[in-house]
Amino acid sequence: MDSNQSKGSDIARMIWIVGSPLIFAVGVFGNIVTMIILSRKRNKPSSTTVFLSAKAFADLFVILFMLPRWWLVYLVGFDVRHIHNIVCKLQFFGNYFNGSYGSFLLAAVTIERALCTAKPYMVKNICTANIAVIISIALALTSCVIHGHMLIGMKLYEVTYNETAGTISFPLDSNERSTNTSAFIFDQYFDTANSTTEEWTDDLFAKIESNEEFTSINKIKVCWYDDPEYGQYFSEIHQTLSVTTFMFIPLIIFLVCGIVIIKGLRKSSKLQKSMRNKYTQISSKQSAFDDRASQITFTLLLVNGLFVVMALPALIFLIGRSAWVDEETGMTETQEIVWALVNMLIYLKHAINFILYFLSGNRFRRQVLELFGYKKNSSVERSKGAHANQLISVSSNYDLSLQK
């Protein structure tokens, strides 16, 4: 959606102006700290750390380069997409790329956790850091293939906008009218015009030339498509593909892998109970292992659950937009408020993973506190750490690189 499409509801404007800096601060801080913690030498490189580091980087990119755009639009009326044609293309592409890439990475780490649970003795061969790097690069290339066409199809150009009539016309050069069909797209994009016929456009230019019914005509910049064939592909095929890769495929993976993880942990719990009866000397260590395995499961399910909860409202709004948003008048103030809120949820999704890791992961929380100068060195803590290391080498090959 281009910034020229916004109507300027006061409440929606305040949501963007106040909410954006808060999410920006939390997201930048959290994702940077997450990458620092995961890249520490004490955290042995693993498939989990690779996926989560890539996810933190993708989230940071969204917070740094996507969120500030709308904050500036509503605060000072400036759209970064209007700086240059290259910025228009890259910002448009980056928005879609990071949406699908972040979902792919979360799905990948979910599959990895399911494999670690279902096939714990195959983890060393399947879930390695090198394989995770290859998968992360492959997912990035896949996202580029899906959304790369926007680097060609989207462009920055000027149109004429009549403030009094609320209508959009072709670029001012009337010689381009025979080949340039951008006005056919703007009628649905700006929610201002209702007709898309050649007679409508000829009539519009006639009124412009005679200044009839047009008292305030301005040039405005638009970052959008002007090829109707590409516009049809973007509006129908690409949008469907984006929704599928951003929500539906990850959702199916979350559900299937969640069932696998829960079943695997139940089976592992039964096995560990029998081990306690035979090897009572590691009973306390096994309990510690159970707690840490539960932490991993809880964190992963929490992240996946919040992903669905935060992304679903925006998905529902976009799917049903044609049904409840009037094409002639555009969004009402209430709909603008709803649109602002669902967007805040989308951006918040990229900012709060650090909080989830911190609250549910003992080891992650301990390293964060140490990073900021708080250390709790005691013989008890060192003993617990030593026992946990022994347990990992004896009882299982679970990857606990994030939350030991």
Side-chain angles (χ1 to χ4, degrees), residues 296-320:
I296 293 176
T297 304
F298 176 76
T299 301
L300 181 61
L301 295 178
L302 185 60
V303 171
N304 291 346
L306 287 179
F307 173 90
V308 174
V309 170
M310 291 182 173
L312 193 58
L315 180 64
I316 294 174
F317 188 95
L318 290 173
I319 291 177

Side-chain angles (χ1 to χ4, degrees), residues 73 77 174 190 199 202 230 232 255-256 268 332 354 364 368:
V73 166
S174 60
F190 286 93
E199 290 77 16
D202 288 339
Y230 175 75
Q232 184 176 6
L255 292 175
V256 173
S268 176
T332 64
F354 164 80
F364 186 88
V368 171

Side-chain angles (χ1 to χ4, degrees), residues 17-51:
I17 293 176
V18 175
S20 297
L22 295 177
I23 295 176
F24 183 89
V26 173
V28 171
F29 172 82
N31 286 303
I32 290 178
V33 171
T34 297
M35 288 189 290
I36 292 175
I37 296 298
L38 295 177
S39 62
R40 279 186 163 187
K41 292 182 179 180
R42 69 171 70 179
N43 295 319
K44 184 180 179 180
S46 66
S47 55
T48 302
T49 57
V50 170
F51 287 133

Side-chain angles (χ1 to χ4, degrees), residues 68-79:
R69 173 183 172 244
W70 282 110
W71 182 69
L72 290 173
V73 166
Y74 279 96
L75 184 66
V76 296
F78 172 74
D79 192 341

Side-chain angles (χ1 to χ4, degrees), residues 186-241:
F186 290 144
D187 63 341
Q188 61 180 12
Y189 178 57
F190 286 93
D191 301 313
T192 54
N194 190 34
S195 173
T196 58
T197 63
E198 183 65 26
E199 290 77 16
W200 177 83
T201 55
D202 288 339
D203 181 63
L204 177 62
F205 271 94
K207 289 182 179 180
I208 291 176
E209 293 172 0
S210 64
N211 202 29
E212 179 186 351
E213 298 180 6
F214 287 78
T215 58
S216 180
I217 298 177
N218 301 308
K219 293 181 181 180
I220 60 174
K221 291 183 177 180
V222 174
C223 177
W224 197 238
Y225 54 78
D226 66 342
D227 184 341
E229 294 183 0
Y230 175 75
Q232 184 176 6
Y233 169 80
F234 180 82
S235 300
E236 297 177 3
I237 300 177
H238 178 260
Q239 295 293 59
T240 301
L241 187 61

Side-chain angles (χ1 to χ4, degrees), residues 147-165:
H147 306 296
H149 56 83
M150 286 187 287
L151 295 173
I152 300 175
M154 297 299 175
K155 63 183 293 186
L156 180 66
Y157 53 95
E158 287 186 339
V159 297
T160 54
Y161 173 60
N162 182 277
E163 294 182 0
T164 303

